[in-house]
Amino acid sequence: MSNAQFLKISGGAALKGKVRTQGSKNAALPVMAAALLLGDGEKLTCTNVPLLRDTETLVALLCALGMGVQFEDGTATVTRRGDLICEMPASLVQKMRASSILLGPLLAQTGRAVMPLPGGCAIGARPIDLHLKGLAKMGASIELSHGAVYASAKKLRGCRIYLDFPSVGATENLVMAAVLADGETTIENAAREPEITNLVQALQAMGAEVCYKKDNAGVIQVNGRAGLVSGRVQIIPDRIASCTYLLAGVITNGEVTVTDVTPQHFDSLLAKLEEADVSYERQESSVTVYPSRGRLKKLSVKTMPYPGFPTDVQPQLMAALCLAKGTSVIKESIFESRFQHVAELRKMGAAIEIQGNTAVINGVPALYGASVQGTDLRAGAALVLAGLAAEGETRVYGLHHILRGYENFDRALQGLGAKVSIAEEDENSL
């Protein structure tokens, strides 16, 4: 895709209708990576996998390492075929930060893993020190050289690992590495996101002995074994996509229903919508937001690890709060560079001040169309939401970022009545 492509949006119309939530990218990637732990000839079948740039990148990575992958109609079948290659291609790793989730299972399976430092969204340092510290405690030798991680271990050993921060990526890597380690591994202060639970379900389906301790959801216990067998797992609904579509309804003062969802996975957003005086209806597997009688009420929000308010929904909520009544405050406590959308929202008439890791949003009566740049996945989504509510035409560039996380984003919005289309810049105008 050319970076000159953009989303062209004619805003101002209230969205209405239903949208089915895609499978979770953040769950699908680690689950598919877990197939590296399979015994020779065994396979993992994953259903409800979204077709996205990042899933395509992971499929290419798995194939480059020697795995067989078939991907059709939302079902990915990943098969272990003989010896694996232990070095990840830099050209693929640098497309996606989530490439780091391959490190733990590849090391556990082959005894050696070479990973160029990954790329992806530029929303902060996102160091992998917790990953490496945990693997080292399990007996791995770690060396950083020439922009790559070199990890080796004859056999990983089970141990107790305490994470200084409940990192999702570190939890995923260490759980997968522990599955083939000798003995028992206990991971404390582990991430509690639903995507971790989905990974645990996948590992259990492949015969792994792994579970959350009943008395503490933040502690995961793993009893290592020699190898995993064929299994099948369904990828959970994408809670971030669900939140994005609901907020598209909220910001346009429309009536939008997201279906095939797990509402308890985004309770934190629903609580904030209720606080902002948004009327909504919650069913077992769907949520509907309804038009409000007036402007949204101001909010105070702090991003936190799950079950707190997700950092991946912060930009989209900020877009909606640009039109709220009063002054809202958002404190970003996860990533230090997660306010890159602010300058672009200002181009559209938003009144936002940044004070360190805090954004102060003074609500305005209206936003106006402009040409803006999405610098990362969720920033791009936020600008699309702003464009849907803005007067006039908005052009959102950086479309390649957005398509890393939303399947058929333009068509889904069109199904809700949005006037949005993918367009390409006329080279003569550049």
Side-chain angles (χ1 to χ4, degrees):
M1 168 174 288
S2 167
N3 288 353
Q5 287 191 322
F6 58 91
L7 273 180
K8 180 180 177 182
I9 307 167
S10 295
L15 301 192
K16 186 173 183 178
K18 294 181 180 181
V19 58
R20 178 189 178 276
T21 298
Q22 67 197 48
S24 168
K25 177 195 84 163
N26 292 338
L29 298 181
V31 166
M32 291 169 66
L36 291 169
L37 301 167
L38 290 167
D40 194 10
E42 306 288 348
K43 64 183 181 181
L44 172 64
T45 302
C46 310
T47 60
N48 200 35
V49 177
L51 179 58
L52 302 166
R53 291 295 175 85
D54 278 5
T55 47
E56 291 175 343
T57 299
L58 185 70
V59 166
L61 269 167
L62 289 170
C63 290
L65 295 175
M67 301 290 287
V69 184
Q70 290 183 311
F71 191 9
E72 186 176 1
D73 296 330
T75 297
T77 303
V78 190
T79 306
R80 168 83 185 279
R81 301 186 306 190
D83 293 338
L84 297 177
I85 297 167
C86 62
E87 187 164 347
M88 305 180 209
S91 59
L92 293 173
V93 171
Q94 289 167 1
K95 289 183 178 181
M96 181 177 71
R97 282 186 183 265
S99 302
S100 60
I101 59 174
L102 297 169
L103 183 63
L106 187 60
L107 173 62
Q109 184 67 272
T110 68
R112 184 170 180 266
V114 179
M115 184 190 72
L117 294 176
C121 286
I123 57 174
R126 295 174 114 184
I128 59 170
D129 57 330
L130 294 179
H131 307 229
L132 303 182
K133 182 179 176 182
L135 291 173
K137 193 160 186 185
M138 297 173 73
S141 173
I142 307 289
E143 181 182 350
L144 296 174
S145 178
H146 303 291
V149 176
Y150 294 80
S152 61
K154 288 185 178 180
K155 185 68 174 178
L156 294 174
R157 303 184 305 270
C159 63
R160 173 182 173 270
I161 299 172
Y162 178 84
L163 295 176
D164 295 331
F165 178 84
S167 160
V168 172
T171 300
E172 292 165 344
N173 246 329
L174 298 175
V175 166
M176 287 189 280
V179 164
L180 299 186
D182 280 339
E184 181 180 281
T185 300
T186 301
I187 303 171
E188 300 178 4
N189 198 31
R192 299 164 58 189
E193 274 75 1
E195 294 79 13
I196 301 291
T197 303
N198 206 189
L199 174 61
V200 168
Q201 292 168 343
L203 292 169
Q204 290 171 339
M206 293 187 285
E209 296 183 43
V210 52
C211 65
Y212 279 103
K213 286 184 68 173
K214 291 182 180 179
D215 61 339
N216 190 334
V219 178
I220 300 177
Q221 282 191 327
V222 186
N223 290 310
R225 54 177 301 161
L228 300 188
V229 297
S230 295
R232 185 181 184 92
V233 68
Q234 179 167 317
I235 301 303
I236 61 173
D238 192 318
R239 60 194 173 99
I240 306 303
S242 301
C243 292
T244 301
Y245 290 120
L246 286 175
L247 286 168
V250 169
I251 197 171
T252 64
N253 203 29
E255 181 178 326
V256 170
T257 300
V258 291
T259 65
D260 298 301
V261 300
T262 308
Q264 59 264 38
H265 287 175
F266 47 92
D267 272 337
S268 56
L269 174 68
L270 296 180
K272 286 300 174 183
L273 292 183
E274 189 171 342
E275 189 179 332
D277 211 17
V278 173
S279 177
Y280 70 87
E281 182 180 1
R282 172 179 178 157
Q283 301 289 344
E284 184 178 350
S285 60
S286 70
V287 176
T288 302
V289 292
Y290 295 103
S292 300
R293 287 189 290 267
R295 292 167 64 184
L296 296 181
K297 289 185 178 179
K298 62 183 181 180
L299 291 177
S300 179
V301 179
K302 180 180 179 180
T303 63
M304 297 284 286
Y306 188 86
F309 193 90
T311 181
D312 277 357
V313 182
Q314 175 262 108
Q316 301 93 303
L317 180 62
M318 182 184 291
L321 291 177
C322 288
L323 294 171
K325 186 175 182 179
T327 300
S328 298
V329 177
I330 295 179
K331 184 174 183 180
E332 174 57 56
S333 68
I334 307 297
F335 294 124
E336 71 275 15
S337 300
R338 196 102 214 215
F339 286 147
Q340 297 184 56
H341 48 286
V342 168
E344 304 304 293
L345 287 171
R346 286 173 178 159
K347 292 179 184 178
M348 303 179 72
I352 308 171
E353 297 178 12
I354 300 298
Q355 301 170 2
N357 65 343
T358 300
V360 179
I361 306 116
N362 294 300
V364 295
L367 295 174
Y368 303 94
S371 290
V372 290
Q373 181 75 38
T375 53
D376 63 73
L377 168 55
R378 306 307 174 184
L383 296 174
V384 171
L385 297 194
L388 292 171
E391 298 178 10
E393 181 181 291
T394 298
R395 295 186 173 194
V396 180
Y397 292 86
L399 182 58
H400 58 291
H401 287 303
I402 298 171
L403 296 185
R404 286 183 46 238
Y406 295 93
E407 188 174 26
N408 299 321
F409 197 35
D410 55 325
R411 280 186 273 173
L413 292 172
Q414 288 165 2
L416 297 174
K419 295 179 180 179
V420 55
S421 60
I422 296 177
E424 187 153 354
E425 195 77 74
D426 183 353
E427 291 185 1
N428 295 326
S429 67
L430 296 178

